Amino acid sequence: QQQVKQSPQSLIVQKGGISIINCAYENTAFDYFPWYQQFPGKGPALLIAIRPDVSEKKEGRFTISFNKSAKQFSLHIMDSQPGDSATYFCAASMVSGTYKYIFGTGTRLKVLA
Amino acid sequence: DAGITQSPRHKVTETGTPVTLRCHQTENHRYMYWYRQDPGHGLRLIHYSYGVKDTDKGEVSDGYSVSRSKTEDFLLTLESATSSQTSVYFCATSGSQETQYFGPGTRLLVL
């Protein structure tokens, strides 16, 4: 019940295309859902996050769509660029308490020029 | 970026030897975390701290211990390193907000 399932494992997109990464969770007590971006040799960095009281959050080319009833959320990268090539991790946590994250297994995105 | 440093950044050690990794933060964040990152597993929580001398286990804590004697430092110790502990280790911190800030990582190879 603590798992966060992420798909696909890898993704190749043409420059200018839309990249979509999906995550699903089981524990309905989760109330904070961040996405992290990681470049090779670096630590993960927060990209965008959402709480379950909204169905969508957009920051520039990055959008999180959230479906509470289905217990799913996804990251959409519009107009994907080669600089977006990185590994993306979704996560889920319960804000009250110690902010422990449960991470998905990651998606390696490659955007072709 | 939050001021988080990890040391060493790379280490090669032999099976059975003790290893200590250090995480240092300058943000005065209350919460600190140790993760390991392995292909196909994402990031898995080893131990975390919710204050000085207050620590608890994560999902993969066997073979690891931690200590936090000062707000700014969080140490991860492998009591007797095994090859299965070859991994990249990340420290993270969090203040009063939900965001966790990650350090640059330590690449550990156990031969």
Side-chain angles (χ1 to χ4, degrees):
Chain A
Q1 200 178 22
Q2 287 289 87
Q3 278 189 324
V4 176
K5 295 182 179 179
Q6 183 172 347
S7 63
Q9 188 174 0
S10 62
L11 182 62
I12 300 175
V13 174
Q14 294 287 337
K15 179 182 177 182
I18 302 173
S19 304
I20 301 174
I21 304 170
N22 301 298
C23 286
Y25 63 99
E26 298 174 353
N27 189 343
T28 55
F30 289 142
D31 56 6
Y32 181 69
F33 302 89
W35 284 91
Y36 278 77
Q37 180 187 54
Q38 184 182 29
F39 293 105
K42 304 293 185 182
L46 179 68
L47 185 63
I48 186 172
I50 196 168
R51 287 182 172 272
D53 52 346
V54 296
S55 61
E56 185 175 282
K57 183 174 182 180
K58 184 175 181 179
E59 290 185 2
R61 297 184 293 108
F62 301 91
T63 300
I64 299 178
S65 296
F66 187 83
N67 186 329
K68 189 174 182 178
S69 61
K71 292 184 285 186
Q72 296 176 347
F73 58 109
S74 60
L75 176 69
H76 296 238
I77 305 174
M78 312 300 288
D79 187 26
S80 298
Q81 299 297 312
D84 297 330
S85 297
T87 299
Y88 293 82
F89 293 95
C90 64
S93 76
M94 288 172 275
V95 174
S96 61
T98 56
Y99 306 131
K100 289 194 295 180
Y101 285 1
I102 304 296
F103 279 93
T105 52
T107 297
R108 183 172 290 186
L109 171 66
K110 183 170 185 177
V111 182
L112 302 177
Chain B
D1 288 345
I4 303 171
T5 56
Q6 293 185 231
S7 60
R9 294 293 313 280
H10 302 270
K11 186 169 182 67
V12 180
T13 191
E14 293 187 349
T15 298
T17 60
V19 176
T20 295
L21 308 183
R22 180 180 183 239
C23 177
H24 179 79
Q25 58 131 336
T26 59
E27 302 297 315
N28 200 35
H29 283 172
R30 176 182 177 185
Y31 303 100
M32 297 185 75
Y33 310 83
W34 277 107
Y35 292 91
R36 59 177 291 173
Q37 183 174 24
D38 304 288
H41 292 277
L43 291 140
R44 292 180 293 174
L45 183 65
I46 304 171
H47 281 280
Y48 65 97
S49 170
Y50 45 96
V52 173
K53 299 191 189 306
D54 292 323
T55 64
D56 206 347
K57 296 179 180 179
E59 61 180 307
V60 290
S61 59
D62 287 348
Y64 302 94
S65 62
V66 291
S67 66
R68 192 171 178 198
S69 59
K70 299 185 291 184
T71 299
E72 57 266 34
D73 290 325
F74 194 31
L75 303 180
L76 176 70
T77 298
L78 290 65
E79 303 290 347
S80 177
T82 68
S83 59
S84 65
Q85 294 176 311
T86 291
S87 187
V88 181
Y89 291 86
F90 286 100
C91 172
T93 73
S94 179
S96 58
Q97 305 300 317
E98 301 97 338
T99 303
Q100 288 189 19
Y101 300 92
F102 283 79
T106 293
R107 192 171 293 271
L108 176 67
L109 175 61
V110 183
L111 299 175

